[in-house]
Amino acid sequence: MFIGVDVGTGSARAGVFDAAGVLLATARHDLQMHVDGAHVEQSSAQVWGAVCAAVRGAMAGLDPAQVQGIGFDATCSLVVEGLPVGDPAHPERDIIVWMDHRALDQTARINAGDHAVLRYVGGRISPEMQTPKLLWLKENRPEVYAKAAQFFDLTDFLTWKASGAVDRSSCTVTCKWTYLAHEGRWDADYFRAIGLGDLAEDGFARIGQSVVHPGTVLGQGLTAEAATAMGLRPGTAVAAGLIDAHAGGVGTVAAGGDPTACLGYVFGTSSCTMTTTTEPTFVPGVWGPYFSAMVPGMWLNEGGQSAAGAAIAQLVAMHPASGAAGEQARAAGQGLPGWLADRALALAGDASDAVRLADDLHVVPEFLGNRAPFADPHARAIISGLGMEQGVDALVSLYVAGVCGLGYGLRQILETQAAHGAPVATISVSGGAGAHPLTRQILADATGLPVEVTACPEPVLLGSAMLGAVAAGAFPDLHTAMPAMSRVATRCEPAGGATKRMHDARYHAFLTLQATARDLRLGATAP
């Protein structure tokens, strides 16, 4: 058996799999989060405790002696273990969460430098990445910055806690720290230019001197302390990990055979698009190309939406019928988004016909900015066509319009990538926000591409379990493990005819609204 551990924004989850990728058991434990404006923080001690509790829960009734390997994925959050990243009175809050946007000023200054490494993050660095956050710490919490022995991406923190090894994954440092994996080096000139030259002078000891491919076995496996906390055996193989979205990509994109033909769409609180290529492809506004960041030896372009499931939650919460619909959802034992999707299906009679419920409603759901293709953290959401209706069915219509808006944002990323040499033929969706058949069909109709769903109900956990299987030697590499442990279960074909024409028209409206708001904002701030 192999264990995959996924640390998302709100929970830590563990899944136990066999060598064929069949999910045997799973468990989850909630995470705490502190939000104060643009500052979003968590506790690494609480996260690690939740991970261990989730593993113990998943292993209930199973034999630890059968577990040969464990893999980890997590959000791309910055861990400064045991030191306060915000309020000095709360040293337990030692994680700057991925969605934290405190470093906007540092981000703007870094981007103004037009450094060569920025070519590999779509031309502009994001405040969600780690060097702007490190610069913020150095400038605003210099005592914390100076005292920190290590700065970890959350995934690398977890593998360190599990194995004692300080090796970094090529996934985390390449995608979020500007490591040049294709050249096997950090760019010291970049760090000196942006004000973090001390990291270069120290030989990058605090952010990673040893960088290894995902799935590489770390240390001597689980330490005795970690094994006891998880209820596993010491020495169980620990794999170098992945960012959570990339684990979803590993768990899905090779299910149909060719990882370069399939875009992995990891649809959770935020969304990530994972596109694999054999040669580097530079796409403005799309992160990458990253070498060996997901599939070792191949290149990756990463786009996405800073708010996806979170955007739908925000949109729904704004409507006056949200409370009444929430009560009905709770009475039915469902979450509100799933209940709204069921209601939309009942009203429309068919998933593709649900778009007609949106009528003249249009949503550009960029509540937390545009991650791709504009790399614009200042963009904001647009809602057009709201009337005076206050009933639950009006909320359903707004929900459908929001899901359509996410689909059009995905289509915009797909078209931008294709125009720069990275086309795909299918989309494989994973993540809780994409679990409903209505959502999957709307994504297919909105983008015009087939949407595949893999057999495993937990593809992100599966991707991490694949890492554990490779580290344990069950497969020689990820290229072999991916098609062996995942397979396509269902496929949603995009609708044609009148439905296609309607989505084409709505997509045009989406682009027009987005461009108009962008022009107005940029024009208002122009000198």
Side-chain angles (χ1 to χ4, degrees):
M1 299 189 298
F2 309 99
I3 294 177
V5 175
D6 166 52
V7 176
T9 305
S11 67
R13 304 181 305 134
V16 184
F17 296 84
D18 67 15
V22 176
L23 180 63
L24 305 176
T26 186
R28 61 173 283 158
H29 197 87
D30 288 341
L31 299 178
Q32 299 166 8
M33 189 160 61
H34 177 79
V35 181
D36 182 10
H39 292 224
V40 187
E41 300 165 359
Q42 289 179 318
S43 161
S44 68
Q46 198 262 329
V47 169
W48 179 247
V51 164
C52 294
V55 172
R56 291 195 305 271
M59 285 297 297
L62 300 176
D63 181 7
Q66 298 300 312
V67 177
Q68 297 179 2
I70 184 169
F72 295 87
D73 72 74
T75 62
C76 49
S77 301
L78 175 65
V79 185
V80 191
E81 194 206 13
L83 297 172
V85 296
D87 186 347
H90 290 279
E92 76 282 1
R93 298 205 296 256
D94 57 358
I95 298 177
I96 301 179
V97 178
W98 67 269
M99 67 173 68
D100 184 292
H101 276 203
R102 71 182 68 186
L104 285 173
D105 177 62
Q106 289 74 16
T107 301
R109 281 187 276 135
I110 291 172
N111 283 327
D114 195 27
H115 309 283
V117 298
L118 300 185
R119 290 186 66 220
Y120 293 91
V121 293
R124 295 179 59 80
I125 205 158
S126 164
E128 297 173 15
M129 294 182 179
Q130 308 302 17
T131 50
K133 291 174 180 175
L134 287 172
L135 186 57
W136 185 95
L137 276 175
K138 186 175 183 179
E139 293 176 346
N140 294 273
R141 300 291 185 272
E143 70 289 349
V144 170
Y145 180 87
K147 189 175 181 181
Q150 294 279 326
F151 298 108
F152 285 110
D153 215 81
L154 182 52
T155 296
D156 296 321
F157 168 79
L158 297 174
T159 57
W160 171 68
K161 288 288 288 185
S163 69
V166 295
D167 306 79
R168 271 36 171 212
S169 166
S170 61
C171 175
T172 59
V173 294
T174 302
C175 294
K176 306 302 175 186
W177 299 69
T178 73
Y179 183 75
L180 301 171
H182 60 292
E183 298 178 4
R185 69 177 181 93
W186 297 97
D187 187 330
D189 290 342
Y190 166 75
F191 283 86
R192 295 188 185 103
I194 68 171
L196 295 174
D198 57 291
L199 297 176
E201 300 310 317
D202 195 29
F204 301 102
R206 294 203 288 169
I207 63 174
Q209 289 182 321
S210 173
V211 178
V212 298
H213 290 324
T216 301
V217 64
L218 298 178
Q220 303 301 312
L222 282 179
T223 65
E225 181 180 4
T228 298
M230 292 182 177
L232 299 174
R233 294 192 308 167
T236 300
V238 176
L242 290 162
I243 298 167
D244 52 354
H246 302 62
V250 165
T252 57
V253 298
D258 180 7
T260 66
C262 181
L263 177 133
Y265 185 61
V266 185
F267 188 8
T269 303
S270 65
S271 80
C272 283
T273 62
M274 321 300 293
T275 306
T276 302
T277 61
T278 55
E279 298 295 332
T281 302
F282 293 87
V283 183
V286 174
W287 297 339
Y290 299 133
F291 184 68
S292 289
M294 189 171 81
V295 183
M298 303 189 81
W299 293 83
L300 174 72
N301 288 96
E302 179 187 350
Q305 295 145 320
S306 294
I312 297 301
Q314 174 81 358
L315 184 69
V316 166
M318 295 166 58
H319 196 276
S322 180
E327 290 180 7
Q328 294 184 55
R330 285 189 291 274
Q334 292 181 272
L336 182 54
W339 185 87
L340 291 171
D342 282 350
R343 179 70 176 166
L345 277 177
L347 291 171
D350 177 83
S352 285
D353 289 341
V355 65
R356 290 168 173 79
L357 298 175
D359 197 20
D360 294 323
L361 277 169
H362 301 276
V363 177
V364 181
E366 296 177 347
F367 290 96
L368 200 58
N370 179 287
R371 181 184 293 170
F374 297 117
D376 180 6
H378 302 288
R380 288 298 178 262
I382 304 163
I383 304 169
S384 172
L386 278 178
M388 296 289 287
E389 298 84 2
Q390 298 188 9
V392 168
D393 287 349
L395 172 58
V396 173
S397 296
L398 184 62
Y399 166 81
V400 170
V403 175
C404 287
L406 289 174
Y408 304 141
L410 175 58
R411 178 171 171 175
Q412 186 177 42
I413 295 168
L414 288 164
E415 291 183 353
T416 302
Q417 291 192 154
H420 288 84
V424 294
T426 61
I427 300 167
S428 184
V429 65
S430 60
H436 200 281
L438 174 76
T439 306
R440 300 196 293 258
Q441 188 60 52
I442 288 178
L443 290 176
D445 294 342
T447 61
L449 287 180
V451 170
E452 297 176 345
V453 181
T454 55
C456 178
E458 296 286 358
V460 177
L461 289 174
L462 175 60
S464 282
M466 289 176 180
L467 300 176
V470 172
F475 298 96
D477 50 41
L478 267 181
H479 293 277
T480 309
M482 289 166 65
M485 295 181 71
S486 64
R487 61 202 58 84
V488 175
T490 60
R491 182 178 168 105
C492 299
E493 296 291 342
T499 299
K500 180 183 185 303
R501 291 191 293 274
M502 178 174 287
H503 279 288
D504 288 345
R506 292 180 63 87
Y507 179 54
H508 177 73
F510 174 94
L511 296 178
T512 301
L513 289 167
Q514 184 190 57
T516 301
R518 183 175 174 82
D519 289 345
L520 286 170
R521 178 168 55 82
L522 294 179
T525 58

